Amino acid sequence: MKKGSNNLAGLENVAMTAINAFVKTILASTLLLLPVTERAYRLARGEIAAPQTKAARRALDLYFIDVEGGAATLIVTPAGESVLIDAGWGGFDGRDAKRIRQAMRQAGITAIDHLVVTHYHMDHYGGVADLAGLVPIKRFYDHGKMTSLTDDPQFAERYGAYQAAAKGQTITLKPGDTIPLKTAAGAPLIKLLCVASHAAVISGGGASANPACTPDAPNEDPSDNARSVALLLKFGDFEFLNLADLSWNVSKRLVCPANQIGEVDLYQVTHHGGNINNDPALLLSLRLTVAVMINGPRKGGHPQTVKWLRETPSFKALYQLHRNVQTTAEQNAPDEFIANPDEQPDEAHMIMVSVDAAKRAFTVTNGRTKESRSYQFI
Ligand SMILES: [Zn+2]
């Protein structure tokens, strides 16, 4: 009996310990629940930034994803928001969408907050439907709805796939519009400004005549390249310019007769490095420091563009996603600045950029070699 009593007492103690633990858990949960609910409420109201999945995110990060001569540039802000500018090609068993998802994983994000389709060419928006099947995309932006496009005989089918992915909910960007981004606590102001769209350009910037301008009159370009959405990202005193495939005749209006853009630190070489873009007057006006060329092994990367970049006095470095296998070694960046030197096997290495506002510097990393170099901005 005594032994039994002891057993009962023991059971009672166990029961009491369990009850105490349960009560403590309830109390702790209640205490924790209040701030969580408050946080969710403030988050929903937009009073605080989205939770940061990557610990202590302070930098602005850019990922130039290799989509084989297409375009896919991922931006992740210090507040943890994401912007994807273009989504690569469709087809190839969802190759480009998978590469974008891989870059998102590396960046520690699970959804695209803002997707900008710069224009309706397959190398820029072909991958949207594939990507929408892999990850949530919250908002879609473009240069406006279109019913036909002479550039693309399969436009109806491809545009239909894009509109279906966006559920018809697309936002038209006009020059002067901004894509809303939260500024992280303690970080400089971040602003993503549309500077060109549907062949119209921003005005109201610089007023004085730009001495870099030349009197040449580029041909009008009837293709959708001329309607590309162009974006200027500002993070404190750091500027990144992405003109997508904007044609020379339109990009010229951005800097001539007066420079509406100002100076930029990082420049995504326009049209994959084509020589009907990236004219010397534009490059001189932008006073760019570092250029990233999103070319393929046999697409873009024109030697004249490489020459023009090198002739720009402010220019410090050109990074390429691919070596142009059709031109000479001298007509390409040095090997350490090339993410994918060989056509096969293509390992789809990225070029990554991380901007540290406190150090007033941005660091460019070659995804293949993992080598980094830093550049100051003022
Ligand atoms: Zn393109």
Side-chain angles (χ1 to χ4, degrees):
M1 278 301 286
K2 207 170 181 186
K3 199 176 177 185
S5 298
N6 279 348
N7 275 352
L8 276 175
L11 281 173
E12 195 177 39
N13 281 344
V14 168
M16 280 309 293
T17 307
I19 288 165
N20 282 343
F22 179 69
V23 169
K24 277 183 187 165
T25 305
I26 293 289
L27 279 171
S29 303
T30 310
L31 287 171
L32 280 172
L33 202 61
L34 286 174
V36 168
T37 310
E38 167 78 10
R39 181 171 171 75
Y41 175 71
R42 291 182 61 199
L43 188 66
R45 286 171 59 91
E47 292 174 5
I48 52 174
Q52 297 182 15
T53 50
K54 204 175 182 185
R57 190 191 296 285
R58 298 300 301 270
L60 166 71
D61 294 321
L62 298 99
Y63 301 81
F64 296 89
I65 302 164
D66 175 28
V67 287
E68 306 301 323
T73 306
L74 176 65
I75 299 167
V76 182
T77 74
E81 291 184 307
S82 58
V83 181
L84 180 67
I85 306 174
D86 292 323
W89 304 83
F92 308 104
D93 192 28
R95 178 197 66 197
D96 293 356
K98 289 174 190 167
R99 289 180 180 183
I100 293 165
R101 181 177 60 180
Q102 183 57 33
M104 291 170 63
R105 283 176 178 160
Q106 191 170 326
I109 57 163
T110 54
I112 297 295
D113 295 309
H114 308 277
L115 170 66
V116 181
V117 163
T118 60
H119 61 297
Y120 306 128
H121 282 167
M122 269 301 280
D123 55 328
H124 294 255
Y125 88 135
V128 173
D130 291 336
L131 186 65
L134 294 183
V135 299
I137 303 172
K138 297 179 185 170
R139 291 178 203 86
F140 296 75
Y141 303 82
D142 55 43
H143 68 61
K145 288 204 173 7
M146 289 184 68
T147 51
S148 64
L149 185 66
T150 50
D151 314 9
D152 182 5
Q154 288 176 266
F155 175 75
E157 180 191 328
R158 288 166 175 168
Y159 186 76
Y162 163 58
Q163 285 293 331
K167 299 185 175 69
Q169 302 292 308
T170 53
I171 300 163
T172 301
L173 285 171
K174 294 190 168 54
D177 288 351
T178 55
I179 290 175
L181 293 176
K182 293 184 181 77
T183 294
L189 183 73
I190 192 161
K191 186 176 179 183
L192 185 54
L193 175 69
C194 172
V195 294
S197 179
H198 210 83
V201 302
I202 196 167
S203 59
S208 55
N210 179 357
C213 293
T214 49
D216 53 358
N219 292 335
E220 285 296 312
D221 179 2
S223 83
D224 210 44
N225 289 337
R227 288 182 284 269
S228 288
V229 170
L231 295 166
L232 177 64
L233 176 67
K234 294 187 179 192
F235 177 53
D237 291 327
F238 171 84
E239 283 105 14
F240 164 60
L241 184 65
N242 181 336
L243 299 182
D245 290 358
L246 196 63
S247 312
W248 184 335
N249 59 305
V250 182
S251 65
K252 180 163 185 170
R253 287 193 265 128
L254 281 171
V255 293
C256 295
N259 186 350
Q260 307 298 320
I261 300 290
E263 300 174 1
V264 304
D265 304 289
L266 181 66
Y267 173 65
Q268 179 174 306
V269 183
T270 304
H271 201 193
H272 320 279
N275 71 330
I276 55 165
N277 322 72
N278 305 298
D279 60 292
L282 175 73
L283 301 181
L284 270 172
S285 305
L286 297 177
R287 288 183 52 80
L288 61 98
T289 308
V290 172
V292 178
M293 187 183 276
I294 53 162
N295 62 317
R298 294 172 188 272
K299 185 177 173 209
H302 198 285
Q304 197 167 26
T305 303
V306 176
K307 181 173 173 284
W308 285 335
L309 283 164
R310 287 174 177 156
E311 287 171 357
T312 304
S314 56
F315 168 80
K316 290 221 165 45
L318 166 66
Y319 289 81
Q320 295 176 211
L321 278 181
H322 275 271
R323 184 169 67 86
N324 183 344
V325 300
Q326 297 173 304
T327 58
T328 67
E330 292 71 33
Q331 289 167 331
N332 280 272
D335 195 58
E336 62 263 40
F337 294 87
I338 298 178
N340 300 285
D342 302 314
E343 194 168 14
Q344 291 297 334
D346 181 13
E347 293 174 314
H349 293 296
M350 295 189 282
I351 299 290
M352 285 95 69
V353 178
S354 190
V355 186
D356 186 328
K359 290 183 181 163
R360 303 184 74 79
F362 60 103
T363 301
V364 188
T365 303
N366 182 333
R368 173 176 59 90
T369 64
K370 311 288 186 277
E371 275 184 336
S372 298
R373 286 164 199 260
S374 291
Y375 304 88
Q376 292 294 129
F377 59 89
I378 48 170

